[in-house]
Amino acid sequence: MSNWKSVYNKWNQFQELDSKLKQELEQLKTNEQQLEDAFYKELSFGTGGIRGVLGVGTNRMNIYTIRKAVYGLASYLLENTVNVKERGVVVAYDSRYMSKEFAVETAKTLGTFGIRTYVFESLRPTPLLSFAVRYLGTAAGAMITASHNPPEYNGFKVYNDDGGQMIPEEANQIIENISKIENELAIPVMEQAELEEKQLLVWVGEEVDNAYLEQLRQISKLPVEEMEQDKDVTIVFTPLHGTAYSLVTRGLEQLNFRNISVVEEQAQPDPEFSSVESPNPEEHQAFSMAIELGKKVNADILLGTDPDADRLGVAVKDNNGQYTVLTGNQLGALLIDYILSHLEDVHLSNAKILKTIVTSELGQEVARHYGVDTINTLTGFKYIGEKIHEFDSTGERFVFGYEESYGYLISSFARDKDAVQAAVMASEMAYFWKKQGKTLLDALEVLYERHGYYREGMSSLTLKGKEGSEKIALIMDTIRKNPFEEIAGYNVEAVEDYLISERHLLSTNEIETIELPKENVLKFVLQNNSWVCLRPSGTEPKIKCYYGTCGTSLQESEQALAALKETMTKVMNEIIS
């Protein structure tokens, strides 16, 4: 947006501007740098939707950016989907600031098109929204969430009628419709009372929850008679001030897991996430209170979900009585092993595992051990959901999908990552191994001894604002034009550039086509089953660097991992300095 001041003036002169936003605009007038950041661009609609800092301006999350996104969605649905007005759109929301207000704002905008909106009466997890789209048969779904971002963020995530996140082809049409909107301040909305009177706003209660829980019970690999027995496993659970409390505890109880202790200080929804530095189970500090409680009750497994309950972290006790937080890659490999070991041979023949290109190769090796193929997708669960939808017509059997960032899906009754499913299955798996006198760490060691000691990691640079975006672009552009031939002493065997869909094999100088959608990602395949992958985040002001190594011992793999991280961090800092 070249002339941000003219956009600011338009907002400043708008007489009917929301009173809270008007007050914030007054406060920003003395800080031109913050004012420019609020108006220098429009909050971009990515493949999953929009996400940003709450506040006034076109580059912030507020009722006007929500209206603009919803207007684009409504236009897309009316052009591309049948019976939209009757089928409607279902909306759920999490515990963040403005979440319920944005959910109602979505209904107020859809209502002007005559499209009915189903809105949950209270906060619900993201996977339940995905399930609700399929259960209610709606034309689309929307989730008001910023996942595990800091408290000042919120977002609007869009789902297609299959219950999966919008894929790029769908999102691009929505973006095109959004681009036609000349004035976000002039988008018409209906009042809530009128919507309810005309039944264009329908409040949703527990019917969907109960239907979801019935499906959840069926993912168990336990014999029916064992499902009915009380389980000798002690669980500590924290929903980290988010949405997962009800469904996780009810899901565990219906399989007769009775020894569940909840971290009470983190059980209640709280938009400030006041007891943690970050409400992200990937961050080990998020488990501090769970570990404390785990020691008191001698827990076998600790479970932590992020605010919208699409990510699960797990910690287990080691032989010294200390709790170790598993990585997403480790838990994924364990779940693959548990699920496939309980599948009959007839179901293994056309079974498929789905994972992303930055997820560990250990899971693929475990699947190969059972004769099951693994399919790689681009980063983002929307691509896994898209493949599951393809399986509906090809007859291939989806048995598990995951990504390294703590996202898992066991059964396709939901089409997005589902921490509720994963929490129940991880608990069942811990119970299974405990009966054999083993912990999940013991089970993981078995996998390492069989397949190799795989270790993975990720580092990121946070670069905020306009200047930060330019630095991220500079890093990608510099490395793309000057690709590595070796990294930390490891020779590069192939360079994969997903922006141009090419894989360059260095030893033969051959070029292969990558059969995946184009995306701004660079991956360097190294010797010894190691790799490095660079990717700007689509939802945060970050550039992420992922690493994978494999050695004959844990120490060897971790040394290689540290060397790769050190080298890439140095390279990125040198480019931007």
Side-chain angles (χ1 to χ4, degrees):
M1 196 177 290
S2 57
N3 189 357
W4 66 267
K5 287 186 179 179
S6 65
V7 184
Y8 155 67
N9 286 330
K10 181 180 72 175
W11 280 57
N12 191 41
Q13 292 162 16
F14 182 51
Q15 295 297 314
E16 297 173 26
L17 191 71
D18 174 81
S19 59
K20 288 182 181 177
L21 296 177
K22 199 176 195 69
Q23 186 178 358
E24 186 181 338
L25 201 56
E26 282 294 319
Q27 293 169 348
L28 281 181
K29 284 180 179 178
T30 57
N31 190 327
E32 184 158 316
Q33 185 179 354
Q34 287 187 20
L35 205 59
E36 180 182 5
D37 193 59
F39 286 98
Y40 85 95
K41 68 173 184 176
E42 294 177 354
L43 203 59
S44 59
F45 191 101
T47 50
I50 56 174
R51 188 184 296 185
V53 174
L54 290 159
V56 67
T58 53
N59 189 33
R60 298 286 184 266
M61 284 295 299
N62 51 62
I63 62 172
Y64 302 107
T65 48
I66 285 285
R67 288 174 185 177
K68 192 169 186 176
V70 176
Y71 194 97
L73 170 64
S75 302
Y76 162 78
L77 291 174
L78 290 168
E79 291 165 4
N80 294 278
T81 311
V82 297
N83 301 326
V84 176
K85 294 181 180 181
E86 294 77 16
R87 293 164 67 194
V89 174
V90 59
V91 181
Y93 54 92
D94 70 5
S95 55
R96 290 179 175 273
Y97 289 116
M98 297 296 292
S99 282
K100 188 168 186 178
E101 289 89 338
F102 288 164
V104 173
E105 206 64 46
T106 301
K108 288 164 70 173
T109 308
L110 289 170
T112 63
F113 291 88
I115 299 173
R116 178 178 292 116
T117 309
Y118 298 90
V119 180
F120 281 92
E121 291 174 336
S122 56
L123 53 83
R124 293 294 194 284
T126 288
L128 189 76
L129 182 277
S130 172
F131 173 76
V133 171
R134 300 173 60 78
Y135 178 76
L136 297 172
T138 58
M143 182 72 199
I144 311 298
T145 180
S147 189
H148 56 278
N149 280 62
E152 63 269 22
Y153 280 77
N154 212 330
F156 175 82
K157 192 154 61 169
V158 186
Y159 290 77
N160 58 29
D161 62 359
D162 190 53
Q165 290 183 44
M166 289 277 183
I167 58 174
E169 292 87 340
E170 296 166 326
N172 287 339
Q173 293 181 63
I174 297 174
I175 293 167
E176 189 178 333
N177 285 324
I178 290 173
S179 69
K180 296 174 185 175
I181 300 168
E182 294 182 0
N183 186 2
E184 63 280 343
L185 302 176
I187 292 172
V189 293
M190 289 177 69
E191 289 306 310
Q192 182 176 333
E194 185 182 359
L195 288 170
E196 291 173 338
E197 183 185 336
K198 294 182 176 178
Q199 295 206 329
L200 288 171
L201 170 54
V202 178
W203 295 98
V204 180
E206 288 209 351
E207 177 191 346
V208 178
D209 305 52
N210 294 332
Y212 173 93
L213 286 164
E214 179 54 37
Q215 292 289 322
L216 182 65
R217 191 174 191 275
Q218 294 175 32
I219 74 171
S220 174
K221 304 302 176 189
L222 297 171
V224 175
E225 63 275 10
E226 197 169 4
M227 282 189 200
E228 307 302 327
Q229 299 170 4
D230 286 356
K231 310 294 186 294
D232 178 25
V233 61
T234 303
I235 300 164
V236 163
F237 169 52
T238 172
L240 294 178
H241 303 295
T243 59
Y245 177 86
S246 175
L247 285 182
V248 168
T249 54
R250 291 168 70 186
L252 288 168
E253 286 165 359
Q254 69 182 2
L255 289 177
N256 289 288
F257 287 94
R258 301 296 181 190
N259 299 330
I260 308 166
S261 297
V262 177
V263 180
E264 292 301 331
E265 299 94 329
Q266 298 173 332
Q268 293 303 312
D270 173 10
E272 281 295 324
F273 311 112
S274 51
S275 70
V276 288
E277 291 175 29
S278 166
N280 183 358
E282 288 182 86
E283 307 286 346
H284 289 193
Q285 55 79 26
F287 273 95
S288 297
M289 286 186 171
I291 289 172
E292 194 177 321
L293 180 57
K295 289 177 179 176
K296 285 181 184 175
V297 300
N298 194 28
D300 299 297
I301 184 169
L302 315 179
L303 309 171
T305 52
D306 70 341
D308 68 321
D310 64 353
R311 296 170 192 252
L312 173 78
V314 166
V316 288
K317 198 162 45 174
D318 63 20
N319 294 328
N320 299 317
Q322 301 300 309
Y323 287 96
T324 298
V325 181
L326 298 176
T327 69
N329 287 307
Q330 290 170 336
L331 182 58
L334 285 165
L335 286 167
I336 290 170
D337 181 64
Y338 178 70
I339 291 165
L340 296 185
S341 69
H342 285 79
L343 273 188
E344 297 175 11
D345 290 346
V346 67
H347 296 312
L348 287 171
S349 59
N350 67 341
K352 293 288 184 287
I353 300 292
L354 297 171
K355 75 173 190 69
T356 69
I357 58 171
V358 296
T359 300
S360 172
E361 301 303 315
L362 176 58
Q364 182 165 292
E365 291 303 314
V366 173
R368 187 178 287 129
H369 176 76
Y370 291 97
V372 171
D373 291 335
T374 299
I375 297 173
N376 282 292
T377 73
L378 289 176
T379 305
F381 226 86
K382 55 185 171 285
Y383 296 113
I384 291 176
E386 183 184 18
K387 291 300 293 186
I388 298 170
H389 182 55
E390 287 178 19
F391 292 170
D392 290 342
S393 55
T394 64
E396 293 164 285
R397 181 185 176 91
F398 169 77
V399 291
F400 187 69
Y402 75 121
E403 55 188 6
E404 97 301 333
S405 54
Y406 283 43
Y408 319 94
L409 184 64
I410 290 111
S411 176
S412 59
F413 62 80
R415 295 288 165 103
D416 200 0
K417 51 187 177 284
D418 188 339
V420 183
Q421 287 189 32
V424 171
M425 187 60 80
S427 300
E428 183 178 305
M429 181 170 64
Y431 165 69
F432 170 82
W433 284 109
K434 187 178 180 182
K435 287 189 298 179
Q436 299 177 53
K438 289 184 168 68
T439 68
L440 291 183
L441 290 174
D442 296 327
L444 184 63
E445 184 63 29
V446 172
L447 296 184
Y448 282 149
E449 289 173 359
R450 185 187 296 160
H451 304 292
Y453 286 82
Y454 286 81
R455 290 293 284 167
E456 298 78 28
M458 191 270 287
S459 59
S460 64
L461 272 178
T462 299
L463 298 163
K464 294 182 179 180
K466 182 181 178 182
E467 185 182 349
S469 298
E470 291 168 353
K471 286 182 177 178
I472 289 171
L474 177 65
I475 291 169
M476 293 300 292
D477 189 53
T478 303
I479 295 175
R480 184 169 271 118
K481 289 176 179 175
N482 306 278
F484 304 108
E485 293 184 2
E486 65 88 26
I487 303 174
Y490 291 89
N491 291 330
V492 175
E493 295 182 346
V495 179
E496 297 178 347
D497 190 339
Y498 290 84
L499 195 60
I500 57 174
S501 301
E502 286 185 358
R503 179 183 296 108
H504 180 199
L505 306 176
L506 270 62
S507 60
T508 61
N509 209 28
E510 289 178 83
I511 303 291
E512 296 178 348
T513 301
I514 298 172
E515 301 291 344
L516 287 173
K518 294 182 188 299
E519 194 164 280
N520 188 17
V521 176
L522 282 169
K523 186 172 183 178
F524 296 89
V525 181
L526 313 175
Q527 64 190 104
N528 298 341
N529 290 327
S530 299
W531 52 271
V532 170
C533 188
L534 271 168
R535 171 182 167 265
S537 172
T539 55
E540 300 170 278
K542 290 181 178 180
I543 181 166
K544 296 182 176 182
C545 195
Y546 303 84
Y547 316 90
T549 63
C550 180
T552 56
S553 69
L554 211 52
Q555 184 181 14
E556 182 185 327
S557 297
E558 287 177 345
Q559 285 175 348
L561 194 65
L564 291 176
K565 279 187 178 182
E566 183 182 351
T567 299
M568 290 305 298
T569 301
K570 183 180 178 183
V571 166
M572 289 191 287
N573 282 323
E574 283 177 353
I575 290 171
I576 61 174
S577 64

